[in-house]
Amino acid sequence: MQAELVGISFAIRPHQAYYVPLGHSYLGVPKQISLDYAIDALKPIMIDPAIRKIGQNIKYDLLVLGHYGVQVKGVSFDTMIASYLLNPGKASHGMDALALEYLNHKTITYAEVTGSGKKQIGFADVDVQTATRYSGEDADITLRLKQTLAPLLREQN
């Protein structure tokens, strides 16, 4: 509940993703779009129930965006829930594991971007270029997982 938006990523086609940096704070960070401007620009899309949204553990995203006054409507698919429905006994329903299993794709991990242990940094301190690769991949993989998992759910009723 205390997470702050550092950026927003989204994909509308496979292999094509976007990242909007909003709150990176390291020394020498390039100019970013203001958070208020981004929220105002994206809110009409986010609250429109006719524009379907998908996500990986999207409940978390809904909570974070809700903190900024955005009540997202039109959620149509959650890849984590889909994975659970397909195989409830699976050890992990995380995106990295799902990408490897269903897409044969090794993702960039959060730890690879932020480090770990004493040397771990917050996402706001990750350079925008690295954050763009990581966040864009997350959005793209989520979209591609939806396209893979939805037919499997239909097959299994």
Side-chain angles (χ1 to χ4, degrees):
M1 291 300 294
Q2 295 181 16
E4 294 186 22
L5 281 176
V6 175
I8 298 173
S9 63
F10 55 94
I12 55 175
R13 286 183 193 84
H15 305 286
Q16 186 176 355
Y18 304 90
Y19 178 67
V20 181
L22 304 169
H24 290 269
S25 58
Y26 57 90
L27 187 63
V29 67
K31 185 173 175 150
Q32 300 167 83
I33 295 171
S34 81
L35 179 61
D36 290 339
Y37 180 83
I39 294 292
D40 288 345
L42 293 172
K43 189 172 186 176
I45 295 165
M46 301 304 256
I47 65 173
D48 186 342
I51 300 173
R52 296 183 317 211
K53 288 84 175 175
I54 64 166
Q56 165 74 15
N57 190 21
I58 200 165
K59 182 179 178 181
Y60 176 79
D61 299 320
L62 299 178
L63 288 171
V64 172
L65 288 167
H67 176 73
Y68 291 92
V70 179
Q71 301 304 313
V72 178
K73 304 282 189 247
V75 173
S76 65
F77 201 90
D78 186 314
T79 54
M80 182 178 276
I81 293 172
S83 171
Y84 176 80
L85 291 171
L86 289 166
N87 188 352
K90 182 186 304 218
S92 173
H93 300 283
M95 191 191 66
D96 297 337
L98 297 179
L100 198 54
E101 178 180 352
Y102 290 104
L103 304 174
N104 196 31
H105 179 87
K106 166 81 172 80
T107 57
I108 304 165
T109 67
Y110 189 75
E112 289 171 338
V113 172
T114 61
S116 59
K118 290 185 207 179
K119 295 187 179 205
Q120 185 174 19
I121 60 173
F123 201 73
D125 294 319
V126 172
D127 69 273
V128 170
Q129 187 174 10
T130 301
T132 298
R133 280 193 308 275
Y134 170 79
S135 298
E137 180 185 62
D138 271 13
D140 174 57
I141 292 296
T142 300
L143 176 61
R144 291 170 47 205
L145 282 169
K146 189 267 184 186
Q147 293 175 333
T148 300
L149 298 176
L152 296 175
L153 285 172
R154 281 191 295 275
E155 283 174 21
Q156 295 187 23
N157 292 321

